[in-house]
Amino acid sequence: MTRKNLVYVWSLRNAAADKAGQPVAYKDHKRYMKSVLEFLVGSLNDTSLGEAYNLVGVVYDDDEQNPRDRQLVADYGFAYQPGRQWLYPADLRVQGRLVNDLLLSVPSTYRRLPRGSAEHIAGKQDFERRLHDTLVELKADVVVLDGLLVILDELVRPGAPFARRIMNIHPGITRLESPYERRGAYATWNALYGARGQVVDWVTKETKPCEPLYLTGASFHYVDNGIDSGEVFHDVLKTEISPDDTILELRWNNFNNSLFPALHEGLERLARRPL
């Protein structure tokens, strides 16, 4: 089997919010918060997934000139620095290469501009062109988005070179017909509040009562230009929720019980499909 070139795309600020690469409080002890990237690297190194894929790049969109981005990644920085906390072990290698050597910055600088302005729209188009050019340079066959806090447009339009070659791994079930459906940036929060019998309006912060649901999961889906609305390729619903969980406890549980399996199993299935 010829290995497919795999590119992983994320936002450092999202991983930082998860305390990736750190021990986090879990009930009466601590547990290590493994990032999705670190899990993927382990799968490529230690399982048959490495026979199907070659990780050729790790792209992040964070903007060093954006004050908010600097604040959100303040505990980590934008690149590994000796003696400083990082999102995964500094010596982490994938298929013989240092993961740090695969890092590439394609900053979404348009986020600094007024939303909806002509400059913002042009900046978004420029970001997608730069990301497209990076993927072409890396000869990407498959692209996995994880916590990329950007909605793609041109890259995933029907007929575009990377349409149906860009997948997202999402910490929630995205099938609309599922009672456990959780989309968007607040998916984990919505699952936690749902287990407490509440629905939250994140604009007003008002809550309404609902029938509690005590499960959540993860979806591996094609990316379209909506919010977690692409066709589901594979999903896993195996994360039990306790109403007294903290957000990081639930994130840890969901990563390990649903999201990691959904990514691994989804990539296995995808490897058997022709490009």
Side-chain angles (χ1 to χ4, degrees), residues 11 18 48-49 52 58 61 74 92 94 96 109 117 128-129 147 151 155 158 168 173 192 219 231 234 236 248 264 270:
S11 297
D18 285 332
S48 61
L49 211 60
V58 176
D61 81 302
L92 186 67
V94 58
T109 55
S117 67
E128 290 208 44
R129 280 193 295 269
I151 301 299
L155 271 171
N168 184 51
I173 298 298
L192 182 56
S219 299
E231 176 190 342
H234 184 66
V236 174
L248 286 179
H264 187 102
L270 195 64

Side-chain angles (χ1 to χ4, degrees), residues 119-138:
E119 294 81 6
H120 184 275
I121 294 169
K124 174 74 176 300
Q125 292 170 340
D126 175 67
F127 166 72
E128 290 208 44
R129 280 193 295 269
R130 288 183 284 115
L131 181 55
H132 169 273
D133 292 347
T134 299
L135 297 178
V136 169
E137 185 176 349
L138 292 170

